[in-house]
């Protein structure tokens, strides 16, 4: 039965979940929101990172967060390479790069799914750590420690990225490249190199986000499909490219999913993100904090 | 410090359209040279060629600094900025969703420019006090005159020695045009800039110019050695002064 306690519990868990959603979406906020790259393979990169974390945790018993940190440089290089291929084959050649780029990134997403299945099989995989499996109890509430860890790391990651984008020369150039490439050339910055670097950062962040994904719950190869809706919903709702907006939009999604899950059951939760995406596109296409 | 820009026989254009044909001009250290001409005569293309944004089809672009010649036609824009050239582009081209301060900081993006940020920022705020008051405001929300001030200040953040200014008067009221031109003249004196300014507004441009060129359909039609010579020219009388040639 519905009660205020139940609702309050759902909201608290929703806020924790929302911050986690911000961490998995914030890279897309750069690649899609700022650079206009139709990066539908973003969630596939995320799941790939989770499997990288799983492998390190399984083989060397490394803490999943440290494992995520360890694969971050690899993912940065992976991002540089992915953008370079996209740029040379699509963006450089014309204005309809967006439409053809979607096909390109969908292709990459499916290839990643298949490679994960070949390597790890279709079964769910999870990691072990001291903070997984325990819960905090006060009164009748029960909050899993893994959720708290994911919440704290996600919040720190998102804030760190927001500070990077507003306080460093490279961060400012990344925000400027979306606004006027030629003007940026006048400042002596090479727009293609800036965008490539930005895409590298957006992908590197997935090292940590992938660790959070597998800390929060077990992963499977096709998990990326559930996150296409969530990540794009968050980035579009935030207003393309706004990092603080990403955090707030992600919390709104997290709370909405959590309440629906509590009131109507788990099967409805995945539909929430697409429904919210459609509502945002219809009512406020520029997003909550949009340009 | 000796600096000069020499352009010889420059041809440039986009595809089949030739925006510039055989353009020859020079700018010497400390001068303010006006490049006069109405819209669509190739002034902006010339500016972009100097900046490395448009590659000429033929001709030479030489920047000589302390006796050393640099071939600008072969250098990327990054290297040209490092040599001390900056362009205030037509239409200002600010980053509208960044703040005034963030726009200024981007002007100092090159590593070579970062050591002088404090000094250049102080200069920008002193010359344009409104920018200091509005440093946290988004650039796109300012008035046209303030935006032009910001565009000039942003160009100064890279410590340029040769400042290219493309159409500073476009879209501004006559009073603001007059103020903007006066500010450019003031800055030139203070910082010891060499200036090449493209402008349609003849009477405003000659207030601060030492001499000027008139460009018509991509070719230099008049190369005058002084402002007096410009005023006396028949083409000028016909195009700008409303007189009968």
């Amino acid at each position: 039965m519905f009660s205020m306690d139940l609702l309050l519990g759902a909201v608290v868990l929703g806020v924790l979940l929302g911050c986690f959603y911000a961490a998995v979406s914030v890279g897309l906020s750069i690649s899609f929101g700022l650079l206009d790259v139709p990066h539908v393979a973003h969630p596939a990169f995320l799941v790939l990172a989770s499997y990288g974390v799983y492998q390190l945790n399984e083989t060397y018993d490394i803490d999943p967060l440290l494992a995520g940190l360890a694969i971050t440089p690899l993912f940065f290089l992976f991002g540089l390479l992915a953008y370079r291929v996209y740029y040379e084959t699509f963006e450089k050649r014309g204005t309809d790069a967006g439409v053809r780029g979607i096909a390109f990134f969908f292709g990459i997403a499916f290839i990643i799914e298949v490679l994960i299945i070949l390597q790890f099989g279709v079964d769910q995989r999870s990691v072990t750590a001291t903070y997984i499996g325990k819960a905090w109890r006060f009164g009748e509430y029960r909050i899993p420690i893994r959720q708290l860890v994911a919440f704290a790391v996600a919040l720190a990651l998102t804030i760190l990225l927001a500070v990077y984008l507003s306080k460093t020369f490279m961060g400012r150039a990344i925000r400027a490249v979306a606004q006027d490439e030629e003007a940026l050339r006048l400042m002596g910055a090479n727009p293609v190199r800036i965008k490539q670097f930005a895409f590298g950062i957006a992908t590197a962040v997935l090292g940590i986000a992938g660790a959070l994904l597998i800390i929060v719950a077990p992963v499977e190869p096709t998990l990326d499909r559930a996150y296409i809706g969530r990540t794009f919903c968050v980035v579009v709702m935030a207003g393309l490219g706004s990092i603080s907006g990403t955090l707030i939009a992600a919390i709104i999604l997290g709370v909405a999913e959590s309440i629906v899950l509590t009131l109507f059951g788990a099967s409805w939760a995945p539909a929430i993100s697409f429904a919210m995406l459609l509502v945002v596109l219809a009512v406020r296409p520029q997003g909550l904090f949009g340009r | 410090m000796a600096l000069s820009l020499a352009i010889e026989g420059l041809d440039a254009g986009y595809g089949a359209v030739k925006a510039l044909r055989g353009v020859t001009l020079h700018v010497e250290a400390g001068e303010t040279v006006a490049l006069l001409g109405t819209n669509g005569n190739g002034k902006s293309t010339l500016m972009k060629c100097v900046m490395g944004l448009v590659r000429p089809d033929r001709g030479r672009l030489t920047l000589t600094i302390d006796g050393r010649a640099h071939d600008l036609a072969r250098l990327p824009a990054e290297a040209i900025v490092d040599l001390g050239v900056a362009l205030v582009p037509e239409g200002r081209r600010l980053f509208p969703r960044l703040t005034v301060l963030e726009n200024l900081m981007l002007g100092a993006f090159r590593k070579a420019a970062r050591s002088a940020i404090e000094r250049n920022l102080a200069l920008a705020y002193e010359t344009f006090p409104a920018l200091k008051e509005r440093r946290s405001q988004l650039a796109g929300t300012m008035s046209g005159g303030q935006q032009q001030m910001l565009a000039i200040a942003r160009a100064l953040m890279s410590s340029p020695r040769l400042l290219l200014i493309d159409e500073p008067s476009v879209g501004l009221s006559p009073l603001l045009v007059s103020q903007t031109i006066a500010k450019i003249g003031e800055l030139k004196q203070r910082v010891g800039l060499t200036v090449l300014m493209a402008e349609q507004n003849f009477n405003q441009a000659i207030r601060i110019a030492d001499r000027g060129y008139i460009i018509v359909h991509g070719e230099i039609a008049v190369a005058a050695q002084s402002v007096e010579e410009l005023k006396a020219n028949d083409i000028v009388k016909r195009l700008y002064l409303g007189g009968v040639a």
Side-chain angles (χ1 to χ4, degrees), chain A residues 117-194:
Chain A
I117 290 171
L118 287 176
Q119 180 67 29
F120 297 96
V122 294
D123 296 337
Q124 288 192 332
R125 303 285 167 169
S126 54
V127 286
T128 52
T130 50
Y131 44 85
I132 294 175
K134 292 176 188 161
W136 241 20
R137 288 165 198 279
F138 40 96
E140 56 202 276
Y141 296 112
R142 183 182 167 280
I143 297 174
I145 303 281
R146 59 165 82 187
Q147 298 274 14
L148 287 174
V149 169
F151 159 76
V153 174
L155 194 62
L157 182 70
T158 308
I159 290 171
L160 197 70
L161 207 59
V163 170
Y164 173 78
L165 286 176
S166 63
K167 299 292 177 205
T168 66
F169 282 95
M170 195 49 135
R172 286 187 287 255
I174 289 170
R175 286 191 298 140
V177 77
Q179 301 180 27
D180 193 333
E181 284 192 26
E182 190 174 88
L184 199 57
R185 292 180 69 193
L186 294 176
M187 314 290 108
N190 180 327
V192 176
R193 248 182 265 158
I194 302 282

Side-chain angles (χ1 to χ4, degrees), chain B residues 42-57:
Chain B
K43 301 191 302 294
S44 291
T45 307
L46 182 72
M47 295 297 200
K48 287 180 183 173
C49 281
V50 177
M51 212 58 224
L53 298 186
V54 171
R55 289 300 178 201
D57 302 322

Side-chain angles (χ1 to χ4, degrees), chain A:
Chain A
M1 255 319 281
F2 176 80
S3 70
M4 279 315 287
D5 279 356
L6 207 59
L7 187 67
L8 189 64
V11 169
V12 170
L13 279 178
V15 171
L16 301 185
L17 185 66
C19 285
F20 161 70
Y21 285 165
V24 299
S25 305
V26 77
L28 188 67
S29 187
I30 294 176
S31 56
F32 180 59
L34 285 174
L35 309 181
D36 285 337
V37 177
H39 191 8
V40 288
H42 174 87
F45 284 21
L46 171 71
V47 173
L48 183 66
S50 291
Y51 275 91
V53 169
Y54 163 76
Q55 184 73 67
L56 288 176
N57 179 256
E58 181 77 7
T59 315
Y60 304 105
D61 202 24
I62 299 173
D63 178 89
L65 285 171
L66 285 180
L69 202 58
I71 62 170
T72 293
L74 279 178
F75 266 67
F76 178 71
L77 295 177
F78 180 44
L80 295 186
L81 180 72
Y83 180 77
R84 183 49 71 168
V85 172
Y86 169 74
Y87 174 77
E88 295 291 342
T89 47
F90 296 96
E91 194 170 287
K92 200 163 93 175
R93 297 196 184 165
T95 47
D96 61 339
V99 178
R100 293 180 299 136
I102 290 180
F104 171 73
F105 283 108
F106 255 122
I108 290 189
F110 281 120
I111 290 170
I112 289 174
E113 270 186 28
V114 169
L115 290 177
I116 292 174
I117 290 171
L118 287 176
Q119 180 67 29
F120 297 96
V122 294
D123 296 337
Q124 288 192 332
R125 303 285 167 169
S126 54
V127 286
T128 52
T130 50
Y131 44 85
I132 294 175
K134 292 176 188 161
W136 241 20
R137 288 165 198 279
F138 40 96
E140 56 202 276
Y141 296 112
R142 183 182 167 280
I143 297 174
I145 303 281
R146 59 165 82 187
Q147 298 274 14
L148 287 174
V149 169
F151 159 76
V153 174
L155 194 62
L157 182 70
T158 308
I159 290 171
L160 197 70
L161 207 59
V163 170
Y164 173 78
L165 286 176
S166 63
K167 299 292 177 205
T168 66
F169 282 95
M170 195 49 135
R172 286 187 287 255
I174 289 170
R175 286 191 298 140
V177 77
Q179 301 180 27
D180 193 333
E181 284 192 26
E182 190 174 88
L184 199 57
R185 292 180 69 193
L186 294 176
M187 314 290 108
N190 180 327
V192 176
R193 248 182 265 158
I194 302 282
K195 286 195 278 187
Q196 188 178 17
F197 191 86
F199 203 88
I201 296 282
T203 312
V205 168
L206 288 177
I208 303 292
L212 299 183
L213 181 68
I214 198 168
I215 285 171
V216 167
V219 296
E220 57 190 18
T222 54
L223 184 62
D224 61 314
R225 296 176 193 183
Y227 278 87
I228 288 182
R230 287 185 179 127
T231 52
F232 275 85
C233 170
V234 167
V235 170
V236 172
M237 199 199 316
L240 297 177
S242 164
I243 300 297
S244 52
T246 299
L247 185 60
I248 294 167
I251 290 174
I252 292 173
L253 175 65
V255 171
E257 271 194 13
S258 180
I259 289 175
V260 168
L261 186 126
T262 308
L263 297 183
F264 304 105
S267 53
W268 282 100
I272 299 303
S273 57
F274 276 112
M276 287 177 82
L277 180 58
L278 292 178
V279 169
V280 168
L281 287 175
V283 177
R284 199 175 157 79
Q286 75 273 35
L288 298 177
F289 309 90
R291 341 170 163 163

